Each structure stands twice: as C-alpha cells, then as structure tokens.
Amino acid sequence: WQVRAINSAGVTYANGTGLAYWSFTTEVPVLTRIIELSGNLDFGSVLVGYEATRTLTIRNIGNDLLTVSGITYPPGFRGHWSGTIAAGGSRTVTVTFSPFTQGGYSGTIRVTSDHTDGTNSIAVSGTALPVSRIMGITGDLTFGNVPVGMTATRTLTISNRGNDALRVFSITYPDGF
C-alpha cells in the first residue's frame, strides 16, 4: 500500500490494482463551564454600624476555564472578585455584612460569568440589632459613722447590660467622697 492522498475525509491508499479507502473520525469533547456556589451566608445578628464576614466559594465543576466578570449583592452586603477559575478549581470570596439600620436583611448574591450550566445565585441573610448601652450601678454605699480624719471604703459596681461597649468618662462625687 502507498499513501496517495490525505484529506479531511480520511486517508486514501492505493495499490497496483485499485483503491482502498479508510476513513477515521475523532470526537471533540463538549466544553462545559459548570458553576457551583456554596458557603454559610446566614450572618445571624450583627449590631448596626458593625461588620461580619463569611466566605462564598465559587467552584467550576466543568472541563473548561470559567470567567467570572462580577458579583452583585443585596443592600447591606458587599464583596468583590472577578477573574478566572480553572476546570475543577474554586475561588473563595469574602462577603461582608455591614447593616446600616435595624431590621432583617436578605436577598440573593448573583455571580455573572460565562457558565454553561449550574446555579449562579445563593441566598444571603442577616439581622441588624440596635446598639444599646444600659448602665447599671450597684453597691452598698452606707458608710455609717466615720471619725474625722479616718477613711472608709465601699465598692461601687458599674455594669453594662447592653450589647455595645460602654465608656465611662468620669464619676462625680458629693463633698467628702
């Protein structure tokens, strides 16, 4: 056999008496970019004016490079990342909850990409609590009779039953204390 011609349909062989034809095909795999989102994005309770963070994981369970062009968040939540994720790879993104008013926050985080399949959204939620500073003062401050020139001490306890730091700037005492 001798090779007489090669073309896109196959290879043509010839011998001295006639032609014999063989053809072959190759299968091209279907390229997929399958997005999968995961993470515990229930932030629970956070004080107004404070922040908490959680991790969102973006996976590419396909066999081709996934390109993420952006991420959108509902009010009260933020984060940022864009780039590519290799086939079988993943990327973590920090999501921040920073509530600006008291109440419940919830919605959907959406990842914009060139995915061919999968789910590109995930639920997120959190509750904003009002900041409170509730000062309590306790102690037995009955001194009884104390001779002139002598001292006696008692304990005054200042407590905070609120959910934010309480700063005591000064304490004012009456004469003699």
Side-chain angles (χ1 to χ4, degrees), residues 7-113:
N7 62 30
S8 63
V11 177
T12 302
Y13 293 90
N15 63 20
T17 60
L19 296 175
Y21 298 95
W22 285 295
S23 65
F24 57 90
T25 59
T26 57
E27 291 193 26
V28 176
V30 175
L31 297 178
T32 60
R33 296 172 301 277
I34 304 170
I35 192 170
E36 178 182 81
L37 305 180
S38 63
N40 176 8
L41 298 173
D42 178 358
F43 284 83
S45 298
V46 175
L47 297 177
V48 172
Y50 287 77
E51 294 182 343
T53 60
R54 298 279 188 273
T55 301
L56 166 67
T57 301
I58 306 171
R59 287 187 179 80
N60 176 7
I61 57 175
N63 61 13
D64 193 19
L65 188 69
L66 174 71
T67 300
V68 173
S69 56
I71 305 172
T72 58
Y73 299 87
F77 302 92
R78 70 176 190 278
H80 178 74
W81 182 76
S82 62
T84 58
I85 302 173
S90 65
R91 171 66 187 217
T92 59
V93 177
T94 299
V95 177
T96 303
F97 176 41
S98 53
F100 43 89
T101 60
Q102 178 182 345
Y105 289 73
S106 64
T108 302
I109 296 173
R110 295 190 194 288
V111 177
T112 304
S113 71

Side-chain angles (χ1 to χ4, degrees), residues 85-142:
I85 302 173
S90 65
R91 171 66 187 217
T92 59
V93 177
T94 299
V95 177
T96 303
F97 176 41
S98 53
F100 43 89
T101 60
Q102 178 182 345
Y105 289 73
S106 64
T108 302
I109 296 173
R110 295 190 194 288
V111 177
T112 304
S113 71
D114 64 349
H115 67 281
T116 59
D117 201 357
T119 303
N120 70 325
S121 62
I122 190 169
V124 62
S125 63
T127 302
L129 298 178
V131 173
S132 65
R133 296 171 197 93
I134 304 168
M135 185 168 62
I137 299 175
T138 59
D140 179 8
L141 300 178
T142 305

Side-chain angles (χ1 to χ4, degrees), residues 146-151:
V146 178
V148 174
M150 300 299 289
T151 61

